Amino acid sequence: MQHVANQDFIKSSSKVIPAWRQDGFKSKFENEEIKLLYSQYFFKQKMEMVVQLLIVLAINTFILIILYFAHEKSWHNLLILVLVFFFVCIVLLIQLCNTRTYSMRNLTIVSVGIWLLQVLLLFMLVVITPPQNRTPSDHTALVVFITFVTYTMLPLSLLPTIILGIVIAFSHALIFCLMAKTGTENISRQIISNILVYTCSNLCGLYHHHLSEIAHRRTFLETRGYVKNQLELGKQKEQQESLLRSVLPDYIAKEMLKDILTNNEQPHKRMNLQFHRIYIKKHDAVSIIFADIVGFTKMASTCTAQELVKILNTLFGRFDELAARTKCMRIKILGDCYYCVSGLPDPSPDHAICTVLMAFDMITCIKEVRDNTRVNINMRVGINTGTVLCGVLGLRKWQYDVWSDSVTIANHMESGGVSGRVHISAATKSYLPSDILLEPGNGEDRDKYLREQNITTFLVVNPEDSADQAAALMNYRQQIANERMQQAAEESSLKREDPDSHSYTNGNIKNKSNGKNKINSGRNSTNSDIDDEMTVHQFVGKWESVTPFAAAPQDSSSSDKPAGGQTSMVMLQVGLFPMHASIAGKKGRNKVLNQQLGLEQEVNEHMRKTIEDGRSEKLWQKSEHIHRLTLRFKSEVMERDFQRLPDCMFKYYLACAFLVFLFIGSIQLCILPKRIITAVSLMSALVLLSIAVLIAMASPDFCDCLKHLSNVVAENYRVRIVMAVFVTLVVYTVAFIQLTYCQHDKGPDAHRNQRNPDENECHFPMYFFISGTLAMLCSAVFLKLDHIIKDVLMLIAVTVYITLMHVPYTGIFDAYDEYLLYPNQSIPTNNTDVLNKRKILKLKEFGTVYLLMLFIALIVLGYEVERTARMDFMQRRHAAQKKDQMEDFKTNNGILLRNLLPGHVAEHFMGCGKIGLYHDEYANVGVMFASIPNFFAEFYAETDVNNNGIECMRVLNEIIADFDELLEKYKFNCIEKIKTIGATYMVAAGLTPKAVYDGADTDLEVHLCNLCEFAFAMQEAIKRFNKHSFNNFQLRMGINHGPLVAGVIGATKPQYDIWGNTVNVASRMESTGKVGRIQITEESGLVIEPHGFRLEEPHFVQVKGKGQMRARFLLDRK
């Protein structure tokens, strides 16, 4: 996987990002803010190089001071002082560049100051040179140096750099032509040669500046793209984790993510497991609440589907808020039944009183609805305390649940309770404070199970009936509120210490007042406006709207919040808007645009902080993966990946080197004697270099062989090295090869006879080291060549050049110096050592200084260019790895999310840009309930042998996992698992989007037939399980079809569910059916019977709320 990721990174690094365009001499970004960011990035990149250049200039100035001091003359004193001043200015500039308060504007001023100091040095050398010693070509090599470093090492934009390069070239040519007194016989040849030198140095500098600009901009934009992707993926990851933690407790979510990663990396381990992984833990001392809304079914019959979902979401969302305030956690919503626990996932010593407070808050909330709508509804609450097993079952559509005998008792405490009262067991009473007033509950008289289990029950005295009870409950409520505020303060303090951390809590409630006060205030504020005819939907609509996932972490910077309600986490973190007609259109598009702009601003701010903090520099300085001298990565893999980066600009490097060769050849043809050997050597080099350039620049119009060679050159690092070294050596050789053909024993008389030169007489030896300086620029144009290789090549060239000037061909340069002293006469015979006695700086000494100056500058430049390239590579690689990690997190979280919600529902919240309530109405959906009645009645037991029931739940997990695996078959792709309720498995057919099916397969008949086939498959699956486990589990199943509404409700732990008469009847078909049989309504039977299903004759069943209904038993399919 890492190798594939590296391949993708290498390929992506070779792409050009079209976020900027070239307009004349100016490279323009499409966004001004990005342009400013790039300027800051460029400033940081060039800052170090400016300091290095100042050091190089200081060293060279010091060398000149030493040399001039050695040639002691009266007029040299002024020169030494000026040079010392120049040296001090450079040191001061170095100090200025190292100050922390340095700005981009100051750096530009310093850059111009550096250029002016170099120009001052140049013209100072002109002024102090004796008039009789001045020639038009003096210090041309220094002009080459100044021009090239201006382009390459100063942080100036392209147009000012071009202007400065032209100004110094024109000024040097003009001044030396006007002031030259010697060697003017061939001034036109020297002027033409100088123009060629100026043009070559400017073009090389321009080329280097432009390609460096492309590399910098491309790296900057690639890095910004990685940062943007990383932030987007980070937001999505945070969003998914928030959604995940809204549905599952954190410890279970972490275990599931860990197992998913293990299964992905080591799938063979999963294949070798005998049992599926079970995520169930045992918890002692947990209080369980079951709360049922009495009269809800009758009330719901008067509501539309949308109104029903809104009522359920708002009502249960209010309960979720109350649960968060009272340290409770909702487990599930079963129709109109709400049940929660206290003491999970972390133990709590006050779990019992917390559940009592929660119960009274729910009763008060329902009473508020009843008093204001005149609808006869009430709340019946049952509480029990004991040991529970909590976790998730199966492989799909996980829902956090609790199981145990204590949970069963709590359920019967509710069914055996009294409307408007809190019904508790003796176990709960033992955990309550002694000042809580109770009265006998007599639950055994109203519930058979309680009577059989000999459960003693109590009713908690309502606070309205006792002032002492009200005071006691208020006291405990305040204690809990204080604990929550203290906990919130501690979490806030931890978050301030670690600003990059994220804290997830259940129930992010803004209102810090207790639940009762809020409910009372809501009632009092609405009583004056209440109409006797107000419906429950209208009244609940006045409450603060609670959207699913609203309790997830929110972005405080967002200003787009739903009016009058809590903000959805999805909207805040991703900036997506609902497509409902009420807010669609221009407002929604503006919101998306604002969110996109917000993301761009966040990316820019992140880049700005990264640049200002110098994180890439810190990464470089602290990195243990790089050799500081060679700049090679210590990791062979990283070094190989860096070398394998394609270099699409290499052909342009060769083209520039070829251009340098043409200029050097033109200069030599112009200034040197016309000889056959010169033409032969130049033509040979021309042919060789032309072949190299042709291979590198082969276009698609060329033959396949050349195109193949061109691709090999661009993609193979070693081939590029060989070609670069070959081309560079050819240019180096051409620069000085002509010197070996010059006669060096004729003395200064040869220079005095420039009008009638001999073919072997070289009258302008300074152009040899000028050509050498141009040849050295050839190394600099190969930006991606290893700086060690470039340094070695330049060192060889400089060594050879200096050796040739000082040893075998020193006579040519000494003769020219003598000619400058006595241009019109010979040296007196009695004073042959007059040149040394005059103590002027010799031409070969100037040449040596200028070659060394450029050599040192190019070493620094090459080092900085490669260092920057490797730093950018590391930064982009690091960002790409982060992106890959984020994508892995996103994928794994996505797997979990799609096992929590149906795929199309998860997309609704995660990828489709919608927020708020989710609901859909369906005209015909098949619903099935399948239970294992004898599991809890006969098999389940909480003993030490089965680990207090955990091993029993492991068996149930295997059964449900087998059912879940059936859903992976293609023929059952229209069937959606809704949930498991204890040992009951609930599915529906026809909820999945039509795009999943094949045309006609979306018909009701196909859905219902597939649902019946799935029922048969479940029966076969449990038979196989019984055979291998020696058990006798049997299914009791019920099927119905018809209209229903599906939706997601709840502020915390949002739950996807379906509601409607169709669901209720399907549940009754199961509960009134027979073990081992499939009971189906007569209407559904009529739909499937024509498709080959055999059914028994109709019979009547008693259905609560429906009376007698006709049903049939499904036998098989022909």
Side-chain angles (χ1 to χ4, degrees), residues 30 62 91 105 131 201 216 250 257 320 422 425 428 469 588 664 667 735 789 844:
E30 296 178 357
F62 182 75
V91 174
R105 183 178 179 183
S201 57
H216 281 305
D250 188 64
L257 281 173
D320 288 344
V422 180
S425 65
T428 303
Q469 183 80 316
I664 292 176
I667 292 170
I789 297 176
K844 58 186 178 184

Side-chain angles (χ1 to χ4, degrees), residues 459-521:
L459 293 173
V460 182
V461 175
N462 286 343
E464 294 86 353
D465 300 333
S466 171
D468 293 339
Q469 183 80 316
L473 292 176
M474 182 59 68
N475 179 51
Y476 292 118
R477 191 184 303 278
Q478 188 61 44
Q479 291 180 13
I480 294 172
N482 292 338
E483 290 177 9
R484 292 182 65 248
M485 292 179 64
Q486 182 178 359
Q487 181 181 4
E490 293 175 355
E491 292 177 354
S492 177
S493 175
L494 290 175
K495 191 170 183 179
R496 283 194 299 270
E497 293 175 4
D498 185 7
D500 294 330
S501 64
H502 297 281
S503 174
Y504 301 97
T505 59
N506 288 326
N508 184 15
I509 309 301
K510 297 178 182 179
N511 192 338
K512 300 301 179 183
S513 62
N514 61 65
K516 185 173 179 179
N517 290 342
K518 180 176 179 179
I519 294 171
N520 290 338
S521 64

Side-chain angles (χ1 to χ4, degrees), residues 16 54 102 159 179 293 374 547 645 680 710 894 932 966 986:
V16 178
L54 288 173
Y102 205 69
L159 187 58
M179 299 179 65
I293 303 176
R374 304 298 187 262
T547 56
L645 289 176
V680 171
S710 179
I932 310 174
L966 293 175
M986 179 184 177

Side-chain angles (χ1 to χ4, degrees), residues 510 543-547 561-568:
K510 297 178 182 179
W543 287 356
E544 183 181 10
S545 175
V546 180
T547 56
K561 299 183 179 181
Q566 293 188 16
T567 307
S568 166

Side-chain angles (χ1 to χ4, degrees), residues 248 252 256 278-280 390-394 398-400 403 957:
L248 293 176
I252 289 184
M256 289 181 168
I278 187 171
Y279 303 96
I280 293 179
C390 62
V392 297
L393 293 176
W398 294 310
Q399 290 185 0
Y400 190 66
W403 312 271
N957 182 65

Side-chain angles (χ1 to χ4, degrees), residues 555-605:
D555 186 355
S556 59
S557 64
S558 176
S559 60
D560 296 323
K561 299 183 179 181
Q566 293 188 16
T567 307
S568 166
M569 172 271 298
V570 180
M571 180 188 70
L572 282 174
Q573 293 191 344
V574 181
L576 302 175
F577 62 96
M579 299 299 293
H580 307 303
S582 58
I583 57 173
K586 183 176 180 180
K587 181 177 179 181
R589 289 191 297 269
N590 289 338
K591 184 180 294 185
V592 169
L593 181 60
N594 291 336
Q595 294 295 340
Q596 290 174 347
L597 292 176
L599 177 61
E600 292 293 328
Q601 291 174 356
E602 186 175 354
V603 173
N604 293 339
E605 185 63 27

Side-chain angles (χ1 to χ4, degrees), residues 22 24-25 147-148 150-152 157-159 161-162 199-213 656:
Q22 192 73 20
F25 292 111
T147 302
F148 192 73
T150 301
Y151 279 99
T152 58
S157 58
L158 188 59
L159 187 58
T161 307
I162 293 175
T199 305
C200 182
S201 57
N202 273 275
L203 288 179
C204 286
L206 176 64
Y207 165 86
H208 192 287
H209 186 285
H210 183 65
L211 289 190
S212 298
E213 183 87 353
C656 187

